[in-house]
Amino acid sequence: QKEVEQNSGPLSVPEGAIASLNCTYSDRGSQSFFWYRQYSGKSPELIMFIYSNGDKEDGRFTAQLNKASQYVSLLIRDSQPSDSATYLCAVNKGATGGFKTIFGAGTRLFVKA
Amino acid sequence: DAEITQSPRHKITETGRQVTLACHQTWNHNNMFWYRQDLGHGLRLIHYSYGVQDTNKGEVSDGYSVSRSNTEDLPLTLESAASSQTSVYFCASSESARQETQYFGPGTRLLVL
């Protein structure tokens, strides 16, 4: 079992729809959770981070964390073709894990115009 | 503006050769990381450093080494390149162990023939 699991996709949504990206993690001691976006041929860039259970909103993006279920998600509202990219879920393992960040394999998102 | 750079951006080498990939950051960050990215595996941690003279092995460290003689640089050396080390390599940095956001360099594409 991978430490951070994501559906590889591709996930295809029409322009203007909500894209929902999901991630599960195995280490209950994990403390910080991140979503990075990576365009083809480019390096990852941070979209959002979340530490506490619940929702965190930033513009069209909402991160959701449920530590009991070891589940983190990213919602993209009003999806745009420019949102087409691979989205990487990342988990920081905290002190017990040497503060290492583990990345999922990523979910490819296609937003159709 | 502060940044993180990698060189070379593209490299072709032969099996058995020693290769060094450079990473330089001007953020003055304590933490630096090396990842490799392969299809289906996402980003996998090779080595990381939390400060000068500090280096640690990641999940895929065999065949790689790093040294940290100053804050700005963390070169990655492939002691004897193997075809299995053909990959895209990303360097990243963050401000502190607990600080979550990692800033990535542009990547180095390495082909080992």
Side-chain angles (χ1 to χ4, degrees):
Chain A
Q1 180 188 5
K2 293 182 178 180
E3 292 190 76
V4 179
E5 298 256 21
Q6 295 182 254
N7 187 322
S8 62
L11 173 66
S12 184
V13 300
E15 184 175 0
I18 296 175
S20 178
L21 306 167
N22 304 314
C23 172
T24 58
Y25 60 95
S26 60
D27 186 348
R28 286 194 173 274
S30 300
Q31 296 184 346
S32 310
F33 308 86
F34 313 89
W35 285 99
Y36 286 81
R37 178 176 61 200
Q38 186 176 24
Y39 292 114
S40 180
K42 302 296 184 182
S43 56
E45 55 180 342
L46 182 75
I47 298 176
M48 292 191 70
F49 59 86
I50 186 168
Y51 309 143
S52 304
N53 279 326
D55 295 358
K56 179 181 179 181
E57 186 175 321
D58 184 0
R60 297 187 296 113
F61 299 95
T62 299
Q64 299 175 318
L65 175 61
N66 184 325
K67 289 187 177 181
S69 300
Q70 296 173 242
Y71 176 91
V72 58
S73 66
L74 178 70
L75 300 179
I76 306 175
R77 291 182 299 281
D78 188 24
S79 295
Q80 301 297 309
S82 59
D83 294 325
S84 298
T86 296
Y87 289 80
L88 304 173
C89 174
V91 175
N92 186 290
K93 300 183 71 174
T96 57
F99 296 107
K100 287 185 288 187
T101 297
I102 306 299
F103 285 81
T107 298
R108 292 172 60 199
L109 173 66
F110 290 109
V111 181
K112 298 175 294 185
Chain B
D1 286 345
E3 61 178 356
I4 181 167
T5 58
Q6 294 183 235
S7 62
R9 295 293 311 279
H10 303 271
K11 175 76 175 178
I12 300 175
T13 191
E14 297 176 342
T15 56
R17 290 190 179 270
Q18 184 181 78
V19 176
T20 297
L21 308 182
C23 176
H24 178 81
Q25 54 98 1
T26 59
W27 296 97
N28 200 34
H29 286 165
N30 287 322
N31 305 327
M32 296 184 72
F33 310 86
W34 273 104
Y35 296 91
R36 60 177 290 174
Q37 188 172 37
D38 306 287
L39 195 63
H41 289 279
L43 288 162
R44 291 185 289 176
L45 185 63
I46 304 172
H47 282 285
Y48 58 103
S49 168
Y50 287 153
V52 176
Q53 302 301 331
D54 176 75
T55 61
N56 306 279
K57 294 181 178 180
E59 60 182 311
V60 290
S61 60
D62 288 348
Y64 303 93
S65 64
V66 294
S67 62
R68 187 89 180 271
S69 59
N70 58 52
T71 301
E72 297 79 16
D73 299 289
L74 187 69
L76 177 71
T77 297
L78 286 67
E79 304 294 344
S80 177
S83 58
S84 60
Q85 295 176 308
T86 292
S87 186
V88 179
Y89 291 85
F90 287 103
C91 179
S93 70
S94 69
E95 185 172 351
S96 70
R98 299 176 185 271
Q99 211 283 342
E100 315 63 18
T101 302
Q102 292 190 19
Y103 299 89
F104 285 82
T108 294
R109 291 184 175 273
L110 177 67
L111 175 61
V112 182
L113 299 175

